């Protein structure tokens, strides 16, 4: 494992990779319909992996292929060095999706920090004249509104654990068992650094429609701010305020998925 990390580290300069080492192995096909009419690619919250969307496997419409992004440093990819640049993460996934393009609409869903990566993927695809049909984001401010008064990615381990425990998005066993923390800590720090240091202009704008979800009791993303997502696209932008907190999928996963499905399947030709 150490040799593998060293080889990968040689590709990194200041947290940015020379070239794109993300491959199709970073896309996990959670469902595989025999003849999908649409695809939904999901970007998880900080520190999480593909199975953050495991509950959707049994709920997703049978015509939609559900794909989740698995970034380096988690689940089956602990030997890979986590990425610390949100623009690199998003553009790299966008390139992969362009290379494996298939007929039918494709939607991108970004959850919490994953919303920024999904936006960057959509921007890369739009630059290449292959815009996604839909960008759905949940529990995150618009890219140009990302201002962090509190930085947590470089906190000492004990303080970082307390912050994560208060936020509620990290599995308790990771915070309580040192052997699990040692595995998860690099990806958690990298993801939070990527989110906390990320900034982007509204230009160039996307062309796809956007759906933005927010919890009515979200202390980190004020509901009145999610409307700013309309400023990053020439398409439509619908906002949905749901009863819940910051980690909205913990309580409203089915409601969010149903709304995304409605828009994505409605993007089929002739619909």
């Amino acid at each position: 494992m150490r040799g593998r990390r060293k080889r990968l580290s040689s590709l990194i300069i200041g947290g940015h990779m020379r070239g794109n080492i993300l491959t199709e192995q970073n896309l996990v096909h959670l469902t595989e319909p025999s003849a999908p009419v649409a695809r939904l690619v999901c970007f998880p919250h900080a520190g999480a992996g593909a199975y953050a969307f495991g509950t959707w496997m049994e709920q997703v419409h049978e015509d939609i292929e559900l794909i989740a992004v698995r970034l380096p440093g988690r689940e089956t990819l602990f030997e890979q060095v986590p990425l610390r640049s949100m623009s690199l993460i998003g553009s790299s996934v966008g390139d992969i999706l362009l290379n494996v393009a298939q007929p039918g609409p494709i939607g991108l869903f970004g959850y919490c920090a994953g919303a920024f990566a999904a936006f960057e993927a959509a921007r890369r695809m739009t630059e290449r004249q292959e815009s996604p049909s839909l960008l759905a984001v949940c529990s995150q401010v618009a890219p140009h509104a990302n201002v962090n008064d509190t930085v947590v990615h470089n906190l000492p381990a004990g303080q970082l654990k307390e912050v994560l425990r208060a936020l509620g998005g990290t599995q308790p066993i990771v915070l309580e068992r040192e052997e699990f923390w040692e595995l998860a800590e690099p990806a958690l720090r990298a993801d939070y650094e990527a989110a906390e240091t990320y900034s982007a202009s509204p230009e160039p704008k996307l062309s796809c429609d956007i759906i933005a979800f927010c919890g009515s009791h979200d202390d980190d993303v004020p509901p009145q701010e999610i409307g700013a997502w309309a400023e990053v696209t020439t398409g439509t932008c619908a906002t949905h305020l749901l009863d819940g907190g910051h980690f909205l999928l913990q309580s409203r996963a089915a409601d969010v998925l149903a709304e995304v499905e409605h828009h994505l399947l409605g993007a089929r030709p002739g619909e």
Side-chain angles (χ1 to χ4, degrees), residues 43-68:
F43 297 72
H45 60 285
Y51 290 104
F53 303 100
T55 58
W56 280 1
M57 293 173 66
E58 301 298 325
Q59 301 172 346
V60 70
H61 193 283
E62 62 183 4
D63 288 336
I64 296 177
E65 182 177 17
L66 183 65
I67 302 170

Side-chain angles (χ1 to χ4, degrees), residues 250-270:
Q250 292 180 350
S251 59
R252 305 300 297 271
D255 297 315
V256 172
L257 178 60
E259 191 65 35
V260 172
E261 288 177 335
H262 173 74
H263 283 262
L264 186 57
L265 293 175
R268 291 180 292 180

Side-chain angles (χ1 to χ4, degrees), residues 216-237:
S216 58
H217 308 299
D218 191 334
D219 294 328
D220 296 302
V221 181
Q224 64 271 20
E225 292 189 11
I226 62 169
W229 279 98
E231 300 170 18
V232 302
T233 186
T234 59
T236 66
C237 180

Side-chain angles (χ1 to χ4, degrees), residues 6 10 21 32 44 78 82 87 103 116 126 128 155 179 221 226 230:
K6 184 176 181 180
S10 68
I21 69 164
E32 297 184 273
F78 282 112
S87 59
F116 293 150
T126 303
R128 302 289 180 85
L155 288 175
E179 62 269 32
V221 181
I226 62 169

Side-chain angles (χ1 to χ4, degrees), residues 20-176:
N20 179 14
I21 69 164
L22 296 186
T23 68
E24 288 185 56
Q25 76 166 333
N26 297 102
L27 299 182
V28 180
H29 296 258
L30 298 179
T31 65
E32 297 184 273
S34 57
V37 299
R39 291 177 296 156
L40 178 61
V41 181
C42 303
F43 297 72
H45 60 285
Y51 290 104
F53 303 100
T55 58
W56 280 1
M57 293 173 66
E58 301 298 325
Q59 301 172 346
V60 70
H61 193 283
E62 62 183 4
D63 288 336
I64 296 177
E65 182 177 17
L66 183 65
I67 302 170
V69 175
R70 175 181 287 156
L71 293 175
R74 66 212 75 203
E75 293 181 340
T76 61
L77 303 179
F78 282 112
E79 79 280 4
Q80 294 185 359
V81 177
L83 306 180
R84 296 184 285 121
S85 165
M86 196 63 73
S87 59
L88 175 61
I89 292 170
S91 60
S92 297
V93 174
D95 284 338
I96 296 171
L97 295 176
L98 289 168
N99 290 334
V100 297
Q102 299 176 6
I106 180 171
L108 307 181
F109 177 83
Y111 183 37
C112 300
F116 293 150
F119 169 75
E120 287 293 335
R123 177 170 275 182
R124 173 57 63 91
M125 296 172 72
T126 303
E127 289 173 352
R128 302 289 180 85
Q129 309 301 313
E130 293 287 346
S131 171
S133 300
L134 175 71
L135 171 64
V137 295
C138 183
S139 304
Q140 189 56 272
V141 297
H144 55 292
N146 186 38
V147 178
N148 289 284
D149 296 326
T150 303
V151 175
V152 305
H153 73 267
N154 56 3
L155 288 175
Q159 294 181 35
L160 179 57
K161 288 181 182 180
E162 289 305 312
V163 171
L164 296 175
R165 187 174 287 110
L167 287 173
T170 305
Q171 294 183 356
I173 193 172
V174 172
L175 303 176
E176 296 165 2

